[in-house]
Every structure is written in structure tokens, then in C-alpha cells.
């Protein structure tokens, strides 16, 4: 069942389009991430779903009802913002109980629900502590407990983890995801962090300049991006300029032939194509002379060895490649070393070049 539907939702600020004709269906019980660079319209889109911003045109439907012009306080959605906006003069329990008080829930039911939520966020012993005396991660959990206190049908999160340090942020990503799955609450989260989106989302909506560039499951988008913009935004990628060679293959600017999985690919919007190969698909071999397609001679110019994984930059004729490997797979790899990089044909894919607006 589709819970939330956006139809041609558009928001103009004066003459600029912050969100431009967005169509989207958010399935029931899923976690969907709006992902994209700063200024692409993620927050504006979320605010229109929340009712904090009115669309210039288009409609928002929730559970079969048109809510485009319904005030935010009548939507019954839970929200957590970047700032968290906890009430500093209240205790943990008072903060969580706040939406219940607004709804005039009885005292006993309030107490029961708050206790339940404190258990859920694993802070049962902190009910009476002022929120100002909590760590960043604890505050985060309280903000989420408050947002879900009145059992909203939709949870909206706008960069809720951006104030946390890297380690805590990763822990909270898992925590929120597990909580969301346990409660089965439909959730939309805004982030500009692709790793965060990959970790948490059932579906990612990649946005570019107010429009949806691609929607799909994280790994599907990673493996099958529709354009250079998406490929570049989701994960590391080697994106190289190539041209059709007229013989069913493609060639790099230096003339090296590359066999690809989709040789007859022609992009819809521009004639330019790019070759995409992910770093983990590049095989680094000892240098040797070969004229086989998909083998490129190069020199190792940078190595990032972090123990479990190793990332090498290989300078080839006129471009560089990144290869992700492990110290075990490529022992003895060293700076300045000549190598042969194999780009297996099954991992080489043609995609559309970034659109120039
Ligand atoms: P970030 O990741 O930086 O928060 P975002 O993807 O969430 O960015 P939005 O905040 O939705 O982007 O902004 C989209 C565009 O709309 C930007 O160009 C922004 O300057 C513009 N914009 C947003 N709110 C307003 C406003 N109230 N008045 C005028 N322009 C606005």
C-alpha cells in the first residue's frame, strides 16, 4: 500500500525553483532517504510534506486524503530537526510527554507511554534528568522518543545526526534504523551523506537541482546509476570520458579499447557518454605488455592503506583510476610501481555524462 504520494510538487521562491515537479510514492513502513548536495531542495520537499511550507503547485496525498493545504499541527506527523529543538527547561520525561500533554492525554496514560518510550530508547534511569545534562547521542534519542510519542503515522527526520561526531553518528544510524524497523513506522529522512543513506534506507531518492535524479534501493542505485551525477554522488567511482568506436565498443581518449556490458547505450538527453567502473572492480596486476582490451598500464601514485582495505591511485595515460583492494590481495604494492589495471568488461558500464544546465 502506498502511504504518501507526491504529484508534481513544486516550490518556487520568487522565480527560483527549489523543488521542481516532484512525483514520488513512499511505501508503507519503509525508510526513505532524500539525498543530494546542499541546496538541491531536500529540506524544502520535507517541509512541504510536514505542512511547514505550502507547495506553489502540485499535491500531497496521505493515506488517500489530499493534505496539500492541511496545517502542520493537523497532520499528526512526528518530526526531528537538525537542531533537535528539545525544551531545555524540561526533564527527559517532560520532553517526551510534551506531545501527549498537547493532546490532553490522561496523566496515567502519559506516564505509561513515557515509561515505554524510555525503555525503547534505553534511558529508563534518566527520566528526571534535565535534557541539558545529556550527551549528544542521548539527546538524539530523546528527540526521537518525543517525535514518536503520540504514535504518528509518518516520521520526518531532517539531518538529525549532523551534529554528532563520526563514531556516534554511525552508531545512531544503526539504532534509528533498528527502531524504525521494530516500530514499522514510515519514515523520511533528509541527508547529504551517502553512506548514511546507504546504511539506513530501504529506498534512496537522489535529488539534483530540485528534481529527482533517481529513486531506488541503495545497492541498485550504486550498481546501476542513471547518470554521472548519481554515480558520483553514490559511492566512489571511476568515471572516464569515452566515445563509441563504431565497432560496437568504446575507446578512451588515448585510444585504448574497452569492452563494456552495455555497448549500444545511448543517453536520452545528451550525446556524451562516460565509462563507470567502481574501485572494487579494478584489478591491480603486475606490469606487463599487453594489447588486450580493458588492460591499462599505469603507475601507482598514492596509497591509502588503512589495514583492512587499501585504496590505490593509478596514473594512466591522461587520467587516473582508483582501485580498492586489500593488503592481502595486492601484497608489496608501492608508490611509483608500474602496474597493469584490468577493468573487467562485466563491471564496465556506460552512463550519461553529467548534464550541463
Ligand atoms: P541543505 O543540504 O544545504 O540543507 P537542501 O537540499 O535541503 O540543502 P533546501 O534548503 O531545500 O536545500 O533549499 C533549496 C533551494 O531553495 C536553495 O537554493 C535555497 O537557497 C532555496 N530556499 C530554501 N528556503 C528558502 C526561502 N525560505 N526563501 C528563499 N529561498 C529558499
Amino acid at each position: 500500500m502506498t502511504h504518501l504520494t507526491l504529484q508534481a510538487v513544486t516550490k518556487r521562491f520568487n522565480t527560483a525553483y527549489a523543488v521542481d515537479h516532484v512525483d514520488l510514492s513512499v511505501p508503507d513502513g519503509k525508510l526513505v532517504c532524500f539525498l543530494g548536495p546542499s541546496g538541491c531542495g531536500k529540506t524544502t520537499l520535507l517541509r512541504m510534506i510536514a505542512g511547514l511550507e505550502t507547495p506553489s503547485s502540485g499535491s500531497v496525498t496521505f493515506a488517500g486524503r489530499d493534505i496539500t493545504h492541511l496545517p502542520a499541527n493537523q497532520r499528526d506527523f512526528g518530526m526531528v530537526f537538525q537542531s533537535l529543538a528539545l525544551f531545555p527547561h524540561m526533564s527527559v520525561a517532560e520532553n517526551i510527554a510534551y506531545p501527549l500533554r498537547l493532546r490532553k492525554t490522561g496523566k496515567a496514560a502519559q506516564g505509561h507511554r513515557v515509561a515505554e518510550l524510555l525503555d525503547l530508547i534505553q534511558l529508563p534511569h534518566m527520566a528526571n534528568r534535565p535534557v541539558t545534562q545529556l550527551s549528544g547521542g542521548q539527546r538524539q534519542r530523546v528527540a526521537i522518543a518525543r517525535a514518536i510519542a503520540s504514535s504518528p503515522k509518518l516520521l520526518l527526520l531532517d539531518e538529525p545526526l549532523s551534529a554528532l561526531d563520526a563514531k556516534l553518528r554511525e552508531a545512531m544510524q544503526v539504532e534509528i534504523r533498528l527502531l524504525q524497523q521494530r516500530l514499522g513506522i514510515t519514515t523520511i529522512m533528509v541527508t547529504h551523506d551517502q553512506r548514511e543513506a546507504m546504511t539506513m534506507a530501504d529506498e534512496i531518492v537522489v535529488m539534483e537541482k530540485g528534481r529527482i535524479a533517481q529513486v531506488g534501493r541503495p545497492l541498485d542505485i550504486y550498481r546501476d546509476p542513471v547518470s554521472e551525477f548519481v554515480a558520483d554522488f553514490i559511492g566512489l567511482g571511476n568515471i572516464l570520458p569515452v566515445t563509441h568506436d563504431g565497432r560496437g565498443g568504446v575507446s578512451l581518449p588515448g585510444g585504448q579499447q574497452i569492452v563494456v556490458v552495455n555497448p549500444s547505450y545511448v543517453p536520452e538527453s545528451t550525446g556524451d557518454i562516460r565509462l563507470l567502473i567502481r574501485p572494487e572492480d579494478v584489478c591491480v596486476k603486475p606490469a606487463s605488455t599487453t594489447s588486450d582490451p580493458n588492460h591499462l598500464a599505469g603507475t601507482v601514485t598514492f596509497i591509502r592503506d588503512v589495514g583492512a582495505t587499501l585504496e590505490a591511485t593509478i596514473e594512466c595515460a591522461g587520467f587516473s583510476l582508483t582501485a580498492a583492494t586489500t593488503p592481502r590481495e595486492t601484497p608489496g604494492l608501492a608508490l611509483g610501481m608500474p602496474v597493469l589495471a584490468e577493468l573487467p568488461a562485466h563491471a564496465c558500464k556506460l552512463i550519461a555524462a553529467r548534464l550541463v544546465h
Side-chain angles (χ1 to χ4, degrees), residues 69-127:
H69 299 285
L70 191 71
N73 60 6
Q74 291 175 30
R75 293 196 183 195
D76 199 11
F77 297 163
M79 286 177 238
V80 180
F81 298 102
Q82 213 163 345
S83 61
L84 303 187
L86 292 174
F87 303 114
H89 56 287
M90 290 186 190
S91 69
V92 167
E94 286 165 344
N95 262 283
I96 297 175
Y98 185 77
L100 303 172
R101 257 177 51 206
L102 279 188
R103 297 169 153 249
K104 307 205 180 338
T105 308
K107 274 262 179 281
Q110 272 188 40
H112 183 74
R113 179 71 176 143
V114 169
E116 192 177 79
L117 287 161
L118 283 168
D119 276 343
L120 193 71
I121 60 168
Q122 295 165 23
L123 295 176
H125 49 293
M126 293 203 177

Side-chain angles (χ1 to χ4, degrees), residues 13-14 17-19 36-45 53 82 158-159 190 192:
F13 291 110
N14 300 317
Y17 283 79
V19 173
S38 181
C40 71
K42 309 178 292 291
T43 295
T44 305
L45 189 57
E53 206 78 74
Q82 213 163 345
D158 189 358
E159 303 250 13
V190 163
H192 59 262

Side-chain angles (χ1 to χ4, degrees), residues 175-194:
E175 210 167 289
I176 294 176
R177 175 59 165 156
L178 292 176
L179 188 67
Q180 182 271 331
Q181 284 178 324
R182 225 165 101 197
L183 300 173
I185 183 169
T186 312
T187 302
I188 302 178
M189 186 172 106
V190 163
T191 180
H192 59 262
D193 179 341
Q194 62 93 16

Side-chain angles (χ1 to χ4, degrees), residues 5 11 29 37-38 65 74 83 107 114 120 139 151 201 212 225 238 245 281 296 299 312 349 356:
T5 310
K11 182 69 186 179
S38 181
R65 177 180 177 208
Q74 291 175 30
S83 61
K107 274 262 179 281
V114 169
L120 193 71
R139 269 203 288 270
S151 306
I212 292 182
N238 295 294
D245 63 8
D281 292 322
L296 305 170
T299 306
K349 190 158 195 288
V356 182

Side-chain angles (χ1 to χ4, degrees), residues 13 46 64 69 87 110 122 139 156-157 176 180 211 222 233 261-262 288 296 299 308 313 317 321 333 341 353 357:
F13 291 110
L46 193 81
H69 299 285
F87 303 114
Q110 272 188 40
Q122 295 165 23
R139 269 203 288 270
L156 304 174
L157 309 172
I176 294 176
Q180 182 271 331
R211 296 192 181 171
Y222 182 78
F233 208 80
V261 281
N262 56 340
S288 67
L296 305 170
T299 306
T313 305
L321 283 173
L333 201 67
H357 288 287

